[in-house]
Amino acid sequence: MKAFLAAVVVGIIVAVGSAQLLDSRFQTTTPALYTTEGARITSPGDNLVQF
Amino acid sequence: MTRLTRLLAIAAFAALGAVGAPLMPLAPMAEAQQVNPTAESVTEDKLFQALRGDQMIEGRASIPDPKAPGLIKPGNKGWADTHTGTIRALTVWTMIGMVALLGIFYAYRGRIRIDAGPSGRTIKRFGGVERFAHWLMAVSFILLALTGLNLVLGRSVLLPMIGEGAFGALSASGKIVHNYMGWAFMLGLALAFVVWVGRNLPKAHDLTWIAMGGGLFKKGVHPPAGKFNAGQKLIFWSVVVGGAALSFTGVMLLFPVLAGTQADWQLYQLIHGIAAALLTAVILAHIYIGSIGMEGAFDAMGSGEVDLNWAREHHSLWVEEVEGKSAGSQGGGRVAPAE
Ligand code: HEM
């Protein structure tokens, strides 16, 4: 049980940690990356079905 | 003016008219080309016409993404069919097939019992690090499998059941979970590989185990096996190879710029989809045999201690090895009475 709970906690920490690291240093959203002075791309929002 | 010259004048005027008529609209167009930058842009009608065909449609885009102008390529259409047709069918049928097989196996064999009955004494099977690695890999894999399955089947299965709003919210958060849980899975996979690879190398007695069907189909049949039997070694290597393939292609899908062009993305997505479907089917069988399918098996990953009779029946060579070692170290205390 202890090993299982430790795995759940570490799993969450690794996922949240990698999200922070990737978002802050390695990833940019398409709208942010490809928007230029001449072309603005709007964000599609969060709901991928209704937008 | 004579009648003849009047006739000639009319004819010349008419001829000029006939030639001039089609020229007339050209003049303003040539002029417009200099002032109207969108004169040559695609009309909606033309675009829809072209989209219906199977020709390549490429243009210019004003954003600095070199791949953006490739709107439709014939290969992409074929790919879309493979993705929504072949991969989806493969996923559905491997899942249904495995669940059906396990159902048939359960109906035929029932729960595999400890033939000699529980001994009341336990033996240490997996330490904390091994169980931690297993559960890190298992928890993350199950989340990845569920959120991945939603990408393949969610629209046709879940959307009609829970509606657009709930499905949209669920899929958007599922995508985030899928992208980032992948890293926890990779860590668990690497750990499990390190702690178990030495015990999963093929041995001669694995062939006997396979020839006897692992003793799975008949009560009282127990081929000799080390810490892991041949079936488990197959599961281990499927997880390692399938997990590595999923990890590599997954990272490529997360970073498409590293991966290359559309053709590369399609290849990676294809491998990702096929490996996911096959490995999930293998894992369904694994979860079955590790829980309801076999009495005493779950304890190995639960408390880490298994019943001695269970161990003697399923991993006889390993028990001899452990008992030999603990006898060598004067009782060593590795086999203990159950509480
Ligand atoms: C609720 C889900 C799961 C349960 C109940 C479960 C149960 C078990 C048990 C009881 C063992 C030890 C077998 C023994 O003592 O010989 C084991 C081993 C193992 N598990 Fe799991 N497991 C689960 C999910 C997973 C997942 C999702 C993966 C991989 C993606 C995985 C990979 C492995 C591997 C590689 C081993 C070692 C080789 C083997 O025993 O087949 N397990 N599991």
Side-chain angles (χ1 to χ4, degrees):
Chain A
M1 196 61 185
K2 255 192 229 155
F4 178 80
L5 289 179
V8 171
V9 172
V10 170
I12 294 171
I13 291 173
V14 170
V16 174
S18 59
Q20 293 291 330
L21 187 74
L22 292 174
D23 285 350
S24 62
R25 305 195 48 181
F26 297 102
Q27 295 187 141
T28 320
T29 61
T30 299
L33 184 65
Y34 292 128
T35 286
T36 62
E37 277 179 22
R40 179 163 29 85
I41 306 172
T42 49
S43 164
D46 288 335
N47 189 332
L48 299 176
V49 178
Q50 295 180 308
F51 65 82
Chain B
M1 204 181 270
T2 61
R3 213 172 147 217
L4 182 70
T5 44
R6 208 183 307 145
L7 265 175
L8 275 174
I10 291 170
F13 193 77
L16 202 81
V19 178
L23 281 178
M24 292 251 291
L26 283 184
M29 221 163 131
E31 221 172 84
Q33 258 179 358
Q34 289 168 354
V35 287
N36 180 5
T38 57
E40 282 193 20
S41 63
V42 193
T43 65
E44 213 172 325
D45 249 11
K46 264 193 195 161
L47 185 63
F48 282 128
Q49 285 284 317
L51 285 174
R52 251 180 250 139
D54 54 2
Q55 284 161 6
M56 178 146 147
I57 301 182
E58 221 167 3
R60 272 186 303 123
S62 51
I63 58 170
D65 175 3
K67 291 178 205 80
L71 184 59
I72 294 276
K73 296 187 173 168
N76 295 2
K77 277 201 162 178
W79 158 247
D81 292 342
T82 312
H83 185 243
T84 42
T86 316
I87 298 270
R88 186 177 295 180
L90 180 85
T91 307
V92 172
W93 289 112
T94 41
M95 299 298 110
I96 293 179
M98 186 50 83
V99 171
L101 269 181
L102 292 172
I104 293 168
F105 182 74
Y106 183 76
Y108 166 74
R109 183 69 165 90
R111 188 170 204 215
I112 299 174
R113 297 279 172 195
I114 303 175
D115 284 332
S119 69
R121 296 174 74 204
T122 61
I123 178 170
K124 179 111 188 135
R125 183 147 171 80
F126 293 118
V129 176
E130 287 169 300
R131 281 178 290 137
F132 170 77
H134 175 266
W135 288 122
L136 182 58
M137 187 165 67
V139 168
S140 53
F141 184 90
I142 291 169
L143 283 172
L144 288 164
L146 291 175
T147 49
L149 215 54
N150 184 48
L151 293 179
V152 183
L153 297 175
R155 276 185 92 91
S156 40
V157 177
L158 220 52
L159 178 60
M161 282 161 64
I162 61 175
E164 274 188 0
F167 179 68
L170 193 81
S171 300
S173 39
K175 176 192 175 287
I176 293 168
V177 168
H178 199 87
N179 286 2
Y180 299 120
M181 260 300 159
W183 302 95
F185 173 73
M186 286 185 248
L187 179 65
L189 181 69
L191 263 179
F193 179 77
V194 171
V195 295
W196 285 336
V197 67
R199 290 285 193 171
N200 280 286
L201 302 175
K203 293 269 164 64
H205 58 246
D206 290 333
L207 291 175
T208 322
W209 191 94
I210 292 170
M212 292 171 71
L216 288 171
F217 299 94
K218 221 168 166 189
K219 205 172 149 55
V221 179
H222 297 294
K227 177 147 181 173
F228 293 117
N229 61 41
Q232 289 176 299
K233 287 180 186 179
L234 271 179
I235 303 236
F236 174 82
W237 288 109
S238 309
V239 169
V240 168
V241 174
L246 283 169
S247 303
F248 176 73
T249 52
V251 172
M252 289 296 114
L253 293 174
L254 271 182
F255 297 103
V257 176
L258 292 183
T261 63
Q262 274 102 337
D264 299 301
W265 306 342
Q266 290 165 3
L267 178 69
Y268 292 137
Q269 212 175 349
L270 193 70
I271 298 172
H272 202 77
I274 294 173
L278 297 182
L279 191 57
T280 307
V282 168
I283 290 301
L284 280 177
H286 168 75
I287 293 176
Y288 169 80
I289 205 76
S291 57
I292 52 173
M294 181 184 276
E295 180 183 12
F298 185 81
D299 295 334
M301 277 304 160
S303 63
E305 307 265 338
V306 289
D307 190 89
L308 192 55
N309 280 352
W310 178 89
R312 284 201 175 117
E313 286 172 13
H314 300 295
H315 302 277
S316 54
L317 301 175
W318 171 70
V319 175
E320 281 167 23
E321 185 191 313
V322 174
E323 286 181 331
K325 260 191 211 158
S326 51
S329 60
Q330 293 173 343
R334 295 198 64 163
V335 177
E339 278 142 30

